[in-house]
């Protein structure tokens, strides 16, 4: 069951992250011009979120659809959450505003990177614990 779950999660994460980054043109807030970084960011978030949540999710009652439908719905929810949280950045109007925005962007990127890796490790541990229980 481990490999089947991971295969479905991997395929859905590829499809959803490709659709959001290339299809809708979503860019990572800290790296607005890098398409590959945006795709990789979305892919990792979706992969581990869908795998962690899907490993613990078990439908109640009779099956209302295929087993992979729950994974896809979790992926769509996380995708919408990422799109809602990541607001687009606007261009600065003056030099002082640009310098202030550059300082904020550096601080934002460092803080965001730390929380990103904490989230990834937490979701990975959650998924692996669900298979050992």
């Amino acid at each position: 069951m481990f490999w089947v779950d991971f295969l479905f999660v991997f395929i859905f994460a590829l499809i959803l992250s490709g659709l959001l980054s290339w299809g809708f043109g979503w860019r990572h807030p800290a790296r607005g011009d890098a398409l590959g970084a945006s795709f990789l960011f979305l892919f990792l978030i979706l992969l581990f979120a869908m795998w962690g949540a899907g490993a613990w999710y078990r439908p109640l009652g009779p099956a209302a659809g295929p087993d992979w439908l729950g994974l896809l719905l979790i992926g769509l929810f996380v995708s919408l959450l990422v799109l809602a949280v990541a607001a687009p950045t606007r261009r600065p109007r003056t030099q002082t505003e640009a310098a202030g925005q550059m300082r904020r962007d550096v601080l934002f990127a460092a803080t965001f990177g730390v929380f990103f890796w904490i989230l990834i490790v937490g979701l990975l541990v959650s998924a692996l614990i669900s298979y050992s229980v």
Side-chain angles (χ1 to χ4, degrees):
M1 197 66 177
F2 170 81
W3 291 108
V4 174
D5 288 345
F6 188 76
L7 180 66
F8 276 118
V9 165
F10 188 82
I11 290 170
F12 288 152
L14 276 176
I15 291 170
L16 287 173
S17 58
L19 181 69
L20 291 174
S21 62
W22 286 307
F24 291 120
W26 183 84
R27 298 291 181 262
H28 188 282
R31 306 203 192 301
D33 57 343
L35 178 63
S38 299
F39 174 79
L40 184 63
F41 170 78
L42 279 172
F43 176 72
L44 288 175
I45 290 287
L46 288 173
L47 178 77
F48 288 112
M50 287 169 48
W51 191 27
W56 288 98
Y57 168 74
R58 296 292 173 245
L60 300 173
D67 290 339
W68 53 265
L69 187 61
L71 292 174
L72 186 61
L73 291 176
I74 291 168
L76 287 173
F77 176 74
V78 171
S79 299
L80 290 175
L81 189 64
V82 166
L83 289 175
V85 169
T89 58
R90 68 174 185 85
R91 302 182 91 179
R93 295 181 188 160
T94 63
Q95 289 287 15
T96 56
E97 188 178 343
Q101 185 176 0
M102 189 168 58
R103 284 191 299 269
R104 282 191 312 265
D105 288 347
V106 168
L107 181 62
F108 173 74
T111 306
F112 195 73
V114 169
F115 285 120
F116 170 77
W117 288 111
I118 289 172
L119 175 69
I120 292 298
V121 169
L123 290 171
L124 178 63
V125 167
S126 171
L128 293 177
I129 286 175
S130 73
Y131 288 108
S132 67
V133 172

